[in-house]
Amino acid sequence: MVTLKDVAREAGVSPKTVSRVVNDDPAVNTGTREAVAAIIKRMHYVPDHAARMMRMSHSSVVGLMTDVVATTPYSVDIVRGTQAALREQARTMLIASTDGDPEQEQEYWQVFRAHKVAGVVYATMFHRPVDIGTPDFERGIVLANCYSARRSHPSVVPDDEGGGYTQARHLIELGHRRIGIVSLSPVLRATVLRGAGYRTAFAEGGISYDTSLDVPGFIGRPDGGEDLVAYDATLGLLRRPDRPTAIICGNDQIAVQVYAAAATLGLSVPDDLSVMGFDDMTVITRTLRPMLTSVALPYFEIGRIAVEQLARLNRETGGVVTPQTLVPCPLVARQSCRQVA
Amino acid sequence: MVTLKDVAREAGVSPKTVSRVVNDDPAVNTGTREAVAAIIKRMHYVPDHAARMMRMSHSSVVGLMTDVVATTPYSVDIVRGTQAALREQARTMLIASTDGDPEQEQEYWQVFRAHKVAGVVYATMFHRPVDIGTPDFERGIVLANCYSARRSHPSVVPDDEGGGYTQARHLIELGHRRIGIVSLSPVLRATVLRGAGYRTAFAEGGISYDTSLDVPGFIGRPDGGEDLVAYDATLGLLRRPDRPTAIICGNDQIAVQVYAAAATLGLSVPDDLSVMGFDDMTVITRTLRPMLTSVALPYFEIGRIAVEQLARLNRETGGVVTPQTLVPCPLVARQSCRQVA
DNA sequence: TTCATTCTTGACATCGCTGTCACAACCTGA
DNA sequence: TCAGGTTGTGACAGCGATGTCAAGAATGAA
């Protein structure tokens, strides 16, 4: 380990001067600075994080607490977004995934305390309320993809209602009037919010909302134990004499089964049926033929914004923190939706 | 911040004794231990990681260097496996994702050095050779899902050849004799290895390997810029007068298009055509109807084993480190493959 | 030329913890 | 009873960095 002292000796200056060079303290003669910088480079000196952290009593590390990163593959983008934003701030990330186990979570809060992390991004893989019990955790916490029922922490969540609106709106603009919905489990907050979005768009388009066209594509609790029944549900919709000309899906997996059901009945997508996904899982949307039009869950963006909010939270200078940030879900138009007469 | 000294004062003992209690040093009177432990708990004392690390000049943190976590959604399981294994060792994980940018990678090596990480798991999202240039990084490095061309570091990789063998073998056991292959880009190592696996299984089954039945499902470089042409490729195979009764896919996305091509031609899976996927992306395999039989990429396991190897590497007591660990790719049988007469 | 500023630099203490070593108190067996 | 051991505890130093403060050198103003 090359230390500050080693560099100082080599350079013939005091350790403090080397420290100044490392920290870009302007109070160093240009000549000295350059000489020292050269030696630092030559000796491959890297300041010891532990010592620094100890002296300064806080670290440049941010904790990321997640429950089940694996359920929705692309929710990983929250991690990517967080990481990307942190990089810009020259910070790094300590990651903890708890599998939803409260005991593990408690352990990791201790770890974060021990590491004196500068703050924590608390991310969940479903958009849902959480209740954070963190004895004595003094640093800032920002919730990503979840929100505090007690409004105790700022949160960054996808605008599911807007996403639902976007799905319906796009189809209506293409001239569809009979629109089926194959939705996620009704216990999910996303389902409720998007439902509100559909209804707003329907009302704007002068379309009455027909409950019999709104069927669940998943049944059971959405934590691995659920069943995907979208195929049968869609068959039901498509066999009606007044079958819908378009179907809005709760996610892209449902869309896969809608495609299958359409194929079974000899219906062509998008000629006979337009299909609109949600999530924009590229593994699916770009793989299906025709490629699936979908509305993206802005996970990367959510991670990025969460870090931004965290920075504001910590900059105690009255940095303005938004209690809840709604991140829009943009339409990604591909080939599965078509204009109707 | 509650410090050791605070606890000591409160307990009426010396800091060193508190330190002993925290570290489970047996040389503490049971009574003292319990008293101190109670106070630690009451005061919510958590040992300062920085101070500890500084004193002991190494940390309990392991670095995870990844390139592009996002390309294959489930490659995230490497991260999960790593994390799970580290938890058992009471270690934590500093994560860096470089997007494949060498400059970022260099930066993160410095960060890892600064943090005095106990070791590094270097994970890539494609099974491929890597060349690690790490000036002055003294701690252990284990490669996950990649390997060193210069054999300078131990690696943990999926047994792609075995996976290919498993795919072919399963179909042969079901009685298939004409088996089509829609493969990944031929520039991928996985493609080459699995090809060898197919041929071994074919030879064992007394089936001659027909190159005209082996077509690429992707074209272009496999880093986001590639094109999925499996649909057309499959149509080609299925329109042959001597069409294959089964198709082996390079991954599950290809299988999606194989299903689509079969549907287009009015062929039923699995009655007219058996389909075998690879990767076991559950988003796809459990969503397709019939559900897709696939061979799993054991990402979680790879992460876990990498951590294990790292532990051996650091336990300098001649811990035996396997230069290359091949992790088997298990068959996950579902409904897309059927016995033929 | 002299005094007041600025500019550069270094000595020193200190952050929280643990390794080393010393020492007191308590045993054991002869 | 005492030498020799074991047990439990604390004083102290020091890990590598930086904040504080002071002092010497260089500059400018009068």
Side-chain angles (χ1 to χ4, degrees):
Chain A
M1 264 292 310
V2 184
T3 75
L4 207 63
K5 227 189 274 183
D6 299 329
V7 177
R9 187 170 31 245
E10 189 74 13
V13 298
S14 78
K16 179 66 212 189
T17 298
V18 180
S19 167
R20 288 195 175 95
V21 172
V22 170
N23 293 286
D24 281 326
D25 185 327
V28 182
N29 181 292
T30 315
T32 318
R33 153 168 290 114
E34 279 167 11
V36 172
I39 293 182
I40 286 177
K41 191 154 191 186
R42 175 156 61 73
M43 298 180 79
H44 297 298
Y45 166 70
V46 177
D48 183 289
H49 176 76
R52 210 165 199 174
M53 176 167 145
M54 184 160 140
R55 196 62 178 69
M56 320 220 287
S57 76
H58 74 266
S59 98
S60 61
V61 175
V62 165
L64 178 66
M65 184 87 81
T66 64
D67 50 359
V68 263
V69 198
T71 31
T72 326
Y74 282 100
S75 56
V76 169
D77 280 350
I78 294 185
V79 180
R80 285 184 52 236
T82 306
Q83 151 96 34
L86 287 175
R87 193 178 115 79
E88 280 174 20
Q89 300 178 13
R91 294 166 176 283
T92 36
M93 191 167 91
L94 204 59
I95 192 169
S97 101
T98 64
D99 286 328
D101 173 7
E103 201 174 311
Q104 279 197 48
E105 185 174 327
Q106 282 308 320
E107 265 178 48
Y108 280 118
W109 281 115
Q110 300 294 359
V111 171
F112 286 171
R113 277 228 292 158
H115 280 264
K116 290 208 185 89
V117 296
V120 170
V121 173
Y122 188 102
T124 59
M125 295 312 140
F126 286 110
H127 178 182
R128 63 178 175 89
V130 293
D131 187 14
I132 302 194
T134 56
D136 334 289
F137 187 81
E138 308 93 344
R139 317 306 308 246
I141 299 174
V142 173
L143 308 181
N145 206 31
C146 50
Y147 58 97
S148 160
R150 295 176 297 132
R151 305 185 139 276
S152 49
H153 304 283
S155 68
V156 184
V157 294
D159 179 9
D160 274 300
E161 182 168 350
Y165 176 83
T166 302
Q167 287 183 299
R169 179 65 191 272
H170 184 66
L171 291 172
I172 292 169
E173 282 174 347
L174 290 175
H176 294 273
R177 308 287 301 171
R178 285 194 64 70
I179 301 176
I181 300 171
V182 184
S183 56
L184 296 172
S185 162
V187 305
L188 289 178
R189 178 170 170 81
T191 308
V192 177
L193 291 173
R194 290 185 206 162
Y198 303 149
R199 280 189 291 274
T200 305
F202 285 175
E204 279 184 21
I207 298 173
S208 67
Y209 171 70
D210 179 349
T211 26
S212 74
L213 287 180
D214 188 345
V215 298
F218 277 98
I219 53 175
R221 291 209 53 80
D223 38 23
E226 81 275 79
D227 268 323
L228 184 46
V229 297
Y231 179 79
D232 292 324
T234 308
L235 283 181
L237 286 178
L238 296 183
R239 280 184 177 136
R240 292 166 60 130
D242 56 348
R243 68 174 165 77
T245 60
I247 288 186
I248 291 176
C249 304
N251 67 17
D252 296 333
Q253 288 172 269
I254 288 176
V256 171
Q257 299 208 339
V258 170
Y259 271 53
T264 300
L265 299 181
L267 297 173
S268 149
V269 176
D271 293 332
D272 304 315
L273 183 71
S274 288
V275 181
M276 166 68 76
F278 204 106
D279 287 3
D280 195 32
M281 281 188 207
T282 54
V283 169
I284 290 176
T285 53
R286 299 219 290 242
T287 297
L288 286 175
R289 289 297 123 96
M291 290 201 261
L292 181 65
T293 293
S294 193
V295 164
L297 270 178
Y299 283 132
F300 187 91
E301 197 62 10
I302 288 176
R304 216 185 45 68
I305 295 177
V307 170
E308 222 167 64
Q309 292 290 321
L310 195 58
R312 295 218 189 133
L313 204 58
N314 285 336
R315 205 164 358 176
E316 285 117 358
T317 69
V320 185
V321 178
T322 318
Q324 176 161 79
T325 309
L326 281 184
V327 186
C329 302
L331 179 75
V332 183
R334 296 200 180 82
Q335 285 90 49
S336 66
C337 298
R338 169 163 298 184
Q339 182 90 38
V340 289
Chain B
M1 264 293 307
V2 184
T3 74
L4 207 63
K5 228 189 271 182
D6 300 328
V7 176
R9 189 169 31 243
E10 189 74 14
V13 297
S14 78
K16 179 66 215 192
T17 298
V18 180
S19 168
R20 287 195 176 98
V21 173
V22 170
N23 292 288
D24 282 325
D25 186 327
V28 183
N29 181 292
T30 315
T32 318
R33 153 168 289 115
E34 280 167 10
V36 172
I39 293 181
I40 285 177
K41 194 156 192 187
R42 176 156 63 72
M43 298 180 79
H44 297 299
Y45 167 70
V46 178
D48 184 287
H49 176 77
R52 211 167 197 171
M53 178 168 143
M54 185 162 145
R55 194 60 177 65
M56 320 218 287
S57 78
H58 73 267
S59 101
S60 60
V61 176
V62 166
L64 178 65
M65 183 86 80
T66 64
D67 49 359
V68 262
V69 197
T71 31
T72 326
Y74 283 99
S75 56
V76 169
D77 281 349
I78 294 185
V79 180
R80 286 183 53 236
T82 306
Q83 151 97 33
L86 287 175
R87 193 177 114 80
E88 281 173 21
Q89 301 178 11
R91 292 168 177 282
T92 36
M93 192 167 92
L94 204 59
I95 193 170
S97 100
T98 63
D99 287 328
D101 173 7
E103 202 174 311
Q104 279 197 48
E105 186 173 325
Q106 281 308 320
E107 266 179 47
Y108 279 118
W109 281 115
Q110 299 295 358
V111 171
F112 286 170
R113 276 228 293 158
H115 280 264
K116 290 207 184 89
V117 296
V120 170
V121 173
Y122 188 102
T124 58
M125 295 312 142
F126 286 111
H127 178 183
R128 63 180 176 89
V130 293
D131 187 14
I132 302 195
T134 56
D136 333 290
F137 187 81
E138 307 94 346
R139 317 306 309 245
I141 299 174
V142 173
L143 309 180
N145 205 32
C146 50
Y147 58 96
S148 160
R150 294 176 297 132
R151 306 184 142 274
S152 49
H153 305 282
S155 69
V156 183
V157 295
D159 179 9
D160 274 299
E161 181 167 353
Y165 176 83
T166 302
Q167 288 184 298
R169 178 65 189 271
H170 183 65
L171 291 171
I172 293 169
E173 282 174 348
L174 289 174
H176 294 273
R177 309 285 302 171
R178 285 195 64 72
I179 301 177
I181 299 172
V182 183
S183 56
L184 295 172
S185 163
V187 305
L188 289 178
R189 178 170 169 81
T191 308
V192 176
L193 291 173
R194 291 186 206 162
Y198 304 149
R199 280 189 290 275
T200 305
F202 285 174
E204 280 184 19
I207 299 173
S208 67
Y209 170 71
D210 179 349
T211 27
S212 73
L213 287 179
D214 187 344
V215 297
F218 278 96
I219 54 175
R221 291 208 56 79
D223 38 23
E226 81 276 78
D227 268 323
L228 184 47
V229 297
Y231 179 80
D232 292 324
T234 307
L235 284 181
L237 286 178
L238 296 183
R239 280 185 177 135
R240 293 166 59 128
D242 55 348
R243 71 174 162 77
T245 60
I247 288 186
I248 291 176
C249 306
N251 68 16
D252 296 333
Q253 287 172 269
I254 288 176
V256 171
Q257 299 209 339
V258 170
Y259 272 51
T264 300
L265 298 182
L267 296 174
S268 151
V269 176
D271 293 332
D272 303 317
L273 183 71
S274 289
V275 181
M276 166 68 76
F278 205 107
D279 286 3
D280 194 31
M281 281 189 207
T282 54
V283 171
I284 290 177
T285 52
R286 299 220 290 242
T287 297
L288 287 175
R289 289 298 123 97
M291 291 201 263
L292 181 64
T293 292
S294 192
V295 165
L297 270 177
Y299 283 131
F300 187 92
E301 198 60 11
I302 288 177
R304 217 185 45 68
I305 294 176
V307 170
E308 221 167 66
Q309 292 291 322
L310 195 57
R312 295 217 189 133
L313 204 57
N314 284 337
R315 207 166 358 184
E316 285 117 359
T317 67
V320 185
V321 178
T322 319
Q324 176 160 79
T325 310
L326 280 184
V327 186
C329 302
L331 178 75
V332 183
R334 295 200 181 82
Q335 286 91 47
S336 66
C337 298
R338 169 163 299 182
Q339 182 89 39
V340 289

